Amino acid sequence: MTCTDFLSKLTDYFDGQIGAELMVEVKHHIAECHHCHVVLDTTKQTIEVYRDNEIYEFSPELQNRIHTAIMTKCRAIAK
Ligand SMILES: [Zn+2]
């Protein structure tokens, strides 16, 4: 699994729509990739904050922000 793959599964992960096999791959990736681990953590915290306020919604805007953040970091490591 690459960071891009991880990213494309992130919303499914939080929606609980992810299969057991894929979950293993996701966990394997975040165990090896510090940046995705941080992103996952941050996203989780963000969602919990939204949930507390009962306005949780995985909006396209939020997805875009997460996507941009990860890709920026991944490009930074690739250098
Ligand atoms: Zn990654």
Side-chain angles (χ1 to χ4, degrees):
M1 177 172 278
T2 64
C3 294
T4 312
D5 292 335
F6 169 80
L7 208 65
S8 66
K9 302 297 174 204
L10 194 62
T11 50
D12 289 346
Y13 178 90
F14 283 110
D15 286 339
Q17 299 292 316
I18 199 162
E21 238 174 83
L22 214 53
M23 182 63 96
V24 171
E25 285 188 45
V26 166
K27 287 192 169 156
H28 187 72
H29 183 77
I30 56 174
E32 290 190 332
C33 181
H34 177 69
H35 290 291
C36 287
H37 183 88
V38 169
V39 167
L40 189 72
D41 246 31
T42 310
T43 310
K44 205 182 282 179
Q45 282 166 23
T46 308
I47 288 172
E48 274 162 15
V49 168
Y50 279 117
R51 271 187 183 145
D52 285 347
N53 292 307
E54 295 183 0
I55 52 165
Y56 165 66
E57 189 186 344
F58 223 129
S59 66
E61 196 229 322
L62 179 59
Q63 283 187 47
N64 273 339
R65 271 175 31 211
I66 294 165
H67 190 267
T68 306
I70 298 182
M71 291 324 284
T72 305
K73 281 173 180 169
C74 288
R75 270 195 294 270
I77 333 171
K79 273 175 196 170

